[in-house]
Amino acid sequence: MNRSVHSLKFILYASAALMLVLAGSCNTGTPDDRGDSLVQFTTSLFAGSGDCAACHTNLQNTAGADISMDTQWRSTIMANAARDPYFLATVASEAANLPELAGAIEETCATCHMPMALTQAKVDGTSTNMMGNGFLNASNPLHKAAMDGTSCTLCHQIQAAGLGTAETFGGEYKIDTSKSAPDRVIYGPYANPLTDTMQQAVGFTPVQGAHMSEAALCAPCHTVYTPIIDASGNITGLFPEQVPYLEWKASAFGSNPNPAQQAPCQSCHMLPAGSGAIANEPSTLQSRNSVSRHSVVGGNSIILDIMSENVEQLGLTASAEQLAATAQLAKDQIGGRAGNISIIDSSIENGLLSVTLSVVNQTGHKFPTGFPSRRVWIHFTVTDSTGRVVFESGKPNADGSITGNDADASNNAFEPHYDIITSPEQVQIYEAIMADTTGKIAYNILKGASYLKDNRLLPIGFDKNNVVPDAAVHGDALTDANFVGGSDQVTYQVSLSGNGPYTVKAELLYQTISYQFARAFVGDSQLIKDFIDYYQAADKRPLLVSTVSKTLD
């Protein structure tokens, strides 16, 4: 077994073991307080999470820890996909920027953020708009379905057909719209499910679907292409706005032709919660092994923090405590399992300090991945024996900017990828920088036509010289020999002043919404104004991924 596979298995087993320990000690990261009632509704295709929760709450694993689906899911980004204030502000901004395409923009975004309402509206032949009298309006017949976000009877009704292929990318998941209750099929990972209770309660017939545990299930909404629109308003192609699934397929986590040897999205984002019954009725229901947590943890803690501070204003069903706990799970994910930074070489010769850092990506996709507002960077400092800072690169600021980052100083510039850094004005930032059809830097998604830079850290096994174009590396990282699958190396060369010994410290930092993305809104929608208020009041300090220090003389 090669070193990459050993590393992959270690990461997965360590993550799973950690969560099992937490589950065994009854610390699930989610308070028992269940907040307000989850959304209840019934349409010809869907039922609300509140309807499902009746039988999937008050559950414990064999160690006595709470593993209730409703408790874990209700405070996730997926549960609140339709209420996410950054998402809503972004949709309003894109629609204001291209009003002639507003309807198409709203429908496209609703596909994965309000999927039940969107799918039902298409079947019913009704409006698919979000704004005005659309899904966001409380009087809209599909408002409840929309506000339930990416919910139970959406994900568990997705059929296996076409998953993992281009035909289902961009939210083109397939749901059987031909059947009615109680014959609507709903998929789960376990064999021989009990059918009567669910048929009677919510009108679905449960069957086993192996695809529920496969990465391809996530691919439709995590392989997103947006139209390339030129200066004349013409659509000239498609732009890979985010392709985590393709990144995963190019990694050691997803490239093994044997699915049993792969590490799907669920293995990191829906960690095992131990064994236990997955429903509270009937009481004789058998225990299932390796129940997956429905906390669906990513790295978007800032939005969860904003939600926890504005529960009433955003109309959330999770409590502030639950949202704060899920935000902490996201911070733990970033700070414990996403990446690592270390010093692999250091010296001082003739007053010149040289330090080479190794930055390792421990995720199954690029880091950061997803929406291009996200970035990871190195904060590097050198202090002398008195504690005075003699060199600093990448200092984070309270307003969300990075000192020395050209992109934060001007929306017409950006930091290149570095192999050697010699100045405080040079910052190693792992990010995707978009350009419009004229080559100008873009921070509005529907202006994106190409990437000027994409040096996001590659996952283990990713071959940057042999990958599908939509997941490619762009910019100087492409020719950096030590920027490879799984890691990067950066050397800092500092002319010293003051007296030694000198202390070197390097922090790997993560941010969900970069400085210019937080300022890229167009229009005067109340949704935009609300988000700006929430964001200005939020703690914009980056998350610490990893840190290392060393004293040199």
Side-chain angles (χ1 to χ4, degrees):
M1 184 179 292
N2 63 39
R3 184 177 179 182
S4 294
V5 175
H6 271 302
S7 300
L8 168 61
K9 287 185 175 293
F10 172 78
I11 292 165
L12 291 173
Y13 294 162
S15 298
L18 174 62
M19 289 309 297
L20 285 171
V21 168
L22 292 177
S25 63
C26 299
N27 178 10
T28 65
T30 308
D32 289 337
D33 169 28
R34 286 174 169 74
D36 292 336
S37 297
L38 289 169
V39 177
Q40 291 183 294
F41 70 89
T42 301
T43 69
S44 65
L45 298 178
F46 302 103
S49 58
D51 299 279
C52 299
C55 289
H56 295 285
T57 193
N58 293 321
L59 306 176
Q60 293 184 334
N61 64 15
T62 53
D66 185 272
I67 57 171
S68 303
M69 285 71 174
D70 66 319
T71 311
Q72 297 165 353
W73 174 82
R74 69 191 303 143
S75 53
T76 65
I77 291 293
M78 291 184 72
N80 297 289
R83 306 173 192 265
D84 177 342
Y86 183 47
F87 158 71
L88 293 172
T90 299
V91 175
S93 175
E94 297 290 348
N97 191 45
L98 292 166
E100 68 278 11
L101 296 177
I105 292 169
E106 293 176 25
E107 178 177 317
T108 298
C109 296
T111 301
C112 290
H113 284 259
M114 302 176 178
M116 295 185 295
L118 190 282
T119 302
Q120 189 69 56
K122 283 187 171 182
V123 169
D124 295 344
T126 58
S127 171
T128 56
N129 288 346
M130 287 172 50
M131 309 298 180
N133 292 323
F135 299 145
L136 289 173
N137 192 310
S139 64
N140 187 291
L142 292 173
H143 175 71
K144 286 187 175 182
M147 293 300 98
D148 211 18
T150 311
S151 189
C152 324
T153 59
L154 185 283
C155 290
H156 285 274
Q157 279 196 88
I158 293 176
Q159 296 180 305
L163 289 180
T165 68
E167 69 176 281
T168 58
F169 293 164
E172 294 295 330
Y173 44 80
K174 301 184 187 303
I175 289 174
D176 187 351
T177 61
S178 66
K179 293 184 174 65
S180 57
D183 298 320
R184 296 177 294 186
V185 172
I186 199 157
Y187 299 99
Y190 301 110
N192 304 314
L194 183 69
T195 59
D196 292 351
T197 302
M198 191 175 290
Q199 287 176 325
Q200 295 169 8
V202 286
F204 291 95
T205 298
V207 300
Q208 184 181 26
H211 63 289
M212 297 306 297
S213 301
E214 297 173 356
L217 177 70
C218 308
C221 286
H222 291 279
T223 316
V224 178
Y225 293 85
T226 51
I228 297 173
I229 303 171
D230 65 19
S232 300
N234 300 311
I235 296 175
T236 61
L238 292 174
F239 172 65
E241 180 245 280
Q242 56 175 293
V243 291
Y245 178 75
L246 298 183
E247 298 163 10
W248 174 84
K249 284 288 289 182
S251 76
F253 292 77
S255 58
N256 194 307
N258 181 358
Q261 299 299 315
Q262 294 178 358
C265 315
Q266 295 89 331
S267 62
C268 291
H269 295 281
M270 297 181 70
L271 291 169
S275 300
I278 60 172
N280 55 44
E281 290 292 342
S283 59
T284 57
L285 195 66
Q286 70 180 93
S287 178
R288 298 291 192 178
N289 294 324
S290 300
V291 176
S292 293
R293 289 185 55 81
H294 280 61
S295 44
V296 201
V297 178
N300 195 355
S301 63
I302 188 171
I303 295 301
L304 291 166
D305 282 337
I306 286 173
M307 287 178 175
S308 72
E309 296 293 328
N310 299 278
V311 171
E312 185 174 349
Q313 297 94 314
L314 293 170
L316 307 180
T317 58
S319 67
E321 292 75 18
Q322 289 172 323
L323 289 158
T326 302
Q328 187 58 53
L329 290 177
K331 294 169 187 175
D332 294 342
Q333 180 95 326
I334 292 294
R337 297 183 288 278
N340 182 67
I341 191 167
S342 62
I343 297 172
I344 60 173
D345 191 28
S346 60
S347 64
I348 298 177
E349 295 182 9
N350 301 319
L352 181 69
L353 178 147
S354 179
V355 174
T356 299
L357 303 174
S358 172
V359 185
V360 173
N361 177 9
Q362 294 176 328
T363 74
H365 41 64
K366 290 182 181 180
F367 180 52
T369 190
F371 197 71
S373 67
R374 301 168 182 180
R375 61 189 181 187
V376 168
W377 74 96
I378 299 174
H379 178 209
F380 182 85
T381 59
V382 181
T383 55
D384 66 13
S385 59
T386 68
R388 181 177 67 90
V389 176
V390 298
F391 183 91
E392 183 170 21
S393 165
K395 177 184 177 181
N397 300 310
D399 64 356
S401 65
I402 305 170
T403 298
N405 178 20
D406 289 349
D408 292 351
S410 169
N411 60 12
N412 293 316
F414 65 93
E415 289 289 298
H417 173 84
Y418 294 100
D419 188 38
I420 299 175
I421 286 179
T422 59
S423 166
E425 296 304 310
Q426 298 171 326
V427 186
Q428 183 72 318
I429 306 175
Y430 301 103
E431 61 186 346
I433 298 291
M434 302 185 299
D436 64 18
T437 55
T438 69
K440 183 179 178 180
I441 294 172
Y443 291 100
N444 300 102
I445 290 299
L446 289 181
K447 289 185 177 180
S450 62
Y451 284 109
L452 296 171
K453 173 189 178 184
D454 184 356
N455 70 331
R456 292 173 297 164
L457 290 161
L458 305 176
I460 294 171
F462 191 107
D463 181 357
K464 67 181 180 182
N465 297 312
N466 184 25
V467 66
V468 294
D470 291 343
V473 173
H474 297 272
D476 294 338
L478 192 58
T479 56
D480 180 354
N482 56 54
F483 181 85
V484 297
S487 65
D488 181 36
Q489 293 179 17
V490 190
T491 297
Y492 290 78
Q493 296 177 345
V494 178
S495 295
L496 295 172
S497 62
N499 298 309
Y502 297 92
T503 299
V504 171
K505 182 178 181 180
E507 295 177 316
L508 191 63
L509 303 176
Y510 167 86
Q511 186 178 57
T512 299
I513 306 174
S514 61
Y515 185 78
Q516 292 293 358
F517 265 93
R519 287 156 178 76
F521 298 109
V522 176
D524 59 357
S525 167
Q526 188 62 47
L527 293 171
I528 296 174
K529 295 175 182 176
D530 288 345
F531 173 73
I532 291 173
D533 288 344
Y534 297 143
Y535 181 77
Q536 288 178 342
D539 182 353
K540 291 175 279 293
R541 289 177 296 178
L543 299 185
L544 178 64
V545 180
S546 178
T547 186
V548 65
S549 62
K550 184 175 183 179
T551 300
L552 302 170
D553 201 350

